[in-house]
Amino acid sequence: MDYGFDGDAPGQSPPGWRAGVTGRGSPVWQVKQDPSAPSKPNVLQQSGSGTFPWIVRPDVSAENGRVEVKFKALSGKQDQAGGVVWRWKDGDTYYVARANALENNVSLYYTERGRRQTIEYVDAPVAPNAWHTLRAEFTGTQIRVSLDGKRYIELGDNHIAGPGAVGVWTKADSITVFDDFTYEAKP
């Protein structure tokens, strides 16, 4: 399934999505017009701040499959991150793969009981103010994370099992835009 946000009204949260934050803060998820969007005219922008802001498709239930998004980190003093979420049970339990333009890395985490735990960090070029494609593939305990078509992480992890929602994620004061969100659920 593909979501490009182009049919959604600018200035509002996209219909069918649920937004929140793990930890504290006030994230602001809104559809915006962006002439640089990979598929014009709209993007989804997170412009508030929070420990870990997220927005998910609660109607999706995927245990195995893939999730992918194009993102651009616009600004942030603490972080400039964009991520994808899968097996989201609630705001305190999910996997997230993220790329960070301030740190030039790709990371894989699991969040349980509201606490983010690092699985792996890998150095990777993540230019600020440039569009990137972040993809996570997950089958059973196997997880693969790619940035811009290059695989950076491939490993097994069994912290979060069973189906869950999919979505996107940011961190701290990251002002990040997203476009062309896609997912595929597999048996």
Side-chain angles (χ1 to χ4, degrees):
M1 185 66 78
D2 301 332
Y3 297 95
F5 311 106
D6 298 320
D8 300 330
Q12 298 179 24
S13 186
W17 292 76
R18 178 177 168 206
V21 63
T22 303
R24 296 174 189 243
S26 300
V28 178
W29 292 94
Q30 291 182 333
V31 174
K32 301 274 187 179
Q33 290 189 335
D34 183 339
S36 78
S39 63
K40 294 173 183 37
N42 293 344
V43 297
L44 175 61
Q45 179 175 306
Q46 199 297 114
S47 59
S49 67
T51 311
F52 304 116
W54 47 260
I55 188 166
V56 298
R57 291 291 313 195
D59 58 332
V60 174
S61 184
E63 180 173 7
N64 300 307
R66 69 165 172 78
V67 62
E68 180 177 300
V69 73
K70 292 182 175 92
F71 78 95
K72 179 168 64 167
L74 300 178
S75 66
K77 290 185 178 166
Q78 293 176 296
D79 264 294
Q80 293 183 19
V84 290
V85 171
W86 68 97
R87 292 188 188 158
W88 184 93
K89 314 294 187 191
D90 58 41
D92 292 331
T93 310
Y94 54 86
Y95 278 110
V96 61
R98 73 103 172 103
N100 191 316
L102 284 183
E103 299 174 4
N104 277 308
N105 62 25
V106 172
S107 303
L108 175 63
Y109 307 97
Y110 70 94
T111 301
E112 281 186 322
R113 295 184 294 281
R115 300 185 74 107
R116 185 186 71 162
Q117 304 294 323
T118 302
I119 299 171
E120 188 166 357
Y121 278 102
V122 178
D123 290 340
V126 186
N129 288 304
W131 285 100
H132 299 281
T133 302
L134 183 63
R135 177 184 181 113
E137 299 168 79
F138 45 97
T139 303
T141 60
Q142 293 303 303
I143 301 170
R144 290 180 297 284
V145 180
S146 302
L147 178 69
D148 297 331
K150 181 178 178 185
R151 185 170 298 154
Y152 284 93
I153 297 173
E154 184 167 6
L155 51 74
D157 186 85
N158 63 359
H159 283 94
I160 301 172
V166 296
V168 297
W169 178 99
T170 67
K171 181 181 176 202
D173 63 342
S174 299
I175 306 298
T176 305
V177 292
F178 298 88
D179 199 9
D180 298 337
F181 175 83
T182 65
Y183 76 89
E184 179 183 9
K186 297 180 179 178

